[in-house]
Amino acid sequence: MSQIKNRLASIRDWMSANNLNALIIPHEDEYLSEYIPPECERLAWATGFTGSAGAAVILNNKAAIFVDGRYTVQVRNQVNESLLEYKHLISEPYLKWIQENTDNGAKVGYDSRLHRANWVKSAKKSLGQKLELVSISENPIDLYWHEKPAAKCEEALLLDEKFTGKSSADKRNEIATTLKSKNVDAAFLTQLDSIAWLLNIRGTDVPCNPVLLCHAIIYSDSSVDLFINLEKIPDEFENHVGPGVKTLLSSEMKTQISNLNQ
């Protein structure tokens, strides 16, 4: 309990320094996945809750954790109610709870990497003019989580076409045809299983899920930019996926996306 109490205090100190009245902590990671690797378990670090779905909201004077019906017993075993109130994720939505427990003009922080664009649009509409939704430039959990587990770094497994049914080139051409038919130049891919399917690769980055932590952009000419730890790319990768797939550092993703607007 004392450890979680200290972590919440650190988050609140950061909120105060950054002029925020609330902070939303979802279970999802920057790959927007339900099942995430140990180094992305931010909700668990801040609250002690290890379920595969949920969210927490930290205010200056109180906090709450929101879970669905699968975790009503687990959350009581893992989270001290004196630190975080128990709420139902569906019947007691956290955006409504924030509205009920903050004053007009309150600033609500969120890490944009951990939310879909549709969520941001819906959240802004839900909060209306009463509260301001603020995208934070750094996540306080990442700042204070000094003992964060090291990410796995094993090479990708390249699946033979006899297992996949189609080559990556054929799959990319099909997607490109769809993009062109909709007059779309590129699509940004965040779902790890979608990227694994597209490139006929698998990995061990996430427990019990055969995927690699990465992002990708597929273009209407069927080429792909893959943003990944380059140490995970085996020597045979280029021949495996065929021409048109460029591997880039994850840190290059923001610049590459910005270039799409030019």
Side-chain angles (χ1 to χ4, degrees):
M1 174 178 168
S2 60
Q3 187 178 60
I4 299 300
K5 185 177 181 179
N6 291 337
R7 291 173 180 177
L8 292 176
S10 295
I11 292 172
R12 287 188 170 108
D13 288 343
W14 180 90
M15 289 167 55
S16 177
N18 286 272
N19 195 30
L20 293 175
N21 306 103
L23 180 68
I24 298 170
I25 305 173
H27 175 266
E28 288 79 10
D29 64 2
E30 48 266 58
Y31 304 94
L32 302 178
S33 302
E34 180 178 1
Y35 300 102
I36 61 180
E39 70 271 16
C40 294
E41 289 278 6
R42 296 180 178 89
L43 181 63
W45 182 87
T47 68
F49 174 69
T50 62
S52 65
V57 176
I58 313 302
L59 305 182
N60 296 324
N61 59 347
K62 63 169 62 176
I65 185 163
F66 300 77
V67 300
D68 62 36
R70 294 173 294 173
Y71 298 112
T72 53
V73 174
Q74 181 177 336
V75 73
R76 283 167 170 77
N77 289 333
Q78 293 184 322
V79 180
N80 192 300
E81 193 173 14
S82 68
L83 300 178
L84 294 105
E85 301 175 16
Y86 307 139
K87 299 293 178 181
H88 194 282
L89 188 62
I90 307 303
S91 61
E92 302 173 282
Y94 60 79
L95 289 177
K96 183 179 179 181
W97 185 83
I98 293 173
Q99 289 176 302
E100 293 173 346
N101 289 275
T102 55
D103 298 325
N104 285 347
K107 294 184 177 182
V108 181
Y110 75 101
D111 187 336
S112 60
R113 300 173 303 162
L114 316 183
H115 297 272
R116 290 173 172 79
N118 284 342
W119 177 89
V120 176
K121 182 178 179 180
S122 175
K124 288 182 177 178
K125 182 178 179 180
S126 176
L127 296 177
Q129 300 299 314
K130 177 184 176 182
L131 306 179
E132 180 183 354
L133 196 62
V134 179
S135 176
I136 58 178
S137 59
E138 59 184 0
N139 193 309
I141 294 174
D142 295 336
L143 293 176
Y144 296 118
W145 192 357
H146 302 302
E147 72 281 11
K148 179 182 288 191
K152 293 192 70 172
C153 188
E154 297 179 1
E155 286 192 349
L157 172 67
L158 309 179
L159 287 189
D160 192 275
E161 195 172 330
K162 67 181 180 182
F163 300 115
T164 65
K166 290 182 181 179
S167 68
S168 172
D170 287 342
K171 293 177 179 180
R172 289 186 281 116
N173 283 327
E174 289 179 7
I175 301 298
T177 298
T178 300
L179 293 178
K180 285 185 283 192
S181 71
K182 297 182 179 297
N183 197 30
V184 173
D185 296 320
F188 180 55
L189 305 179
T190 61
Q191 297 219 188
L192 304 181
D193 51 355
S194 294
I195 301 172
W197 173 86
L198 183 67
L199 300 178
N200 290 339
I201 57 177
R202 300 293 187 269
T204 60
D205 290 353
V206 181
C208 303
N209 288 265
V211 294
L212 294 148
L213 297 179
C214 57
H215 294 91
I217 300 174
I218 181 167
Y219 298 90
S220 57
D221 64 356
S222 83
S223 64
V224 166
D225 290 340
L226 177 65
F227 304 96
I228 192 170
N229 182 338
L230 299 183
E231 294 182 11
K232 298 178 184 179
I233 301 299
D235 294 337
E236 306 83 6
F237 178 80
E238 186 175 346
N239 289 333
H240 173 73
V241 295
V245 178
K246 181 166 59 175
T247 54
L248 298 148
L249 293 170
S250 296
S251 59
E252 298 179 79
M253 181 174 64
K254 186 174 181 180
T255 299
Q256 201 73 0
I257 292 175
S258 298
N259 290 339
L260 294 176
N261 296 321
Q262 298 177 5

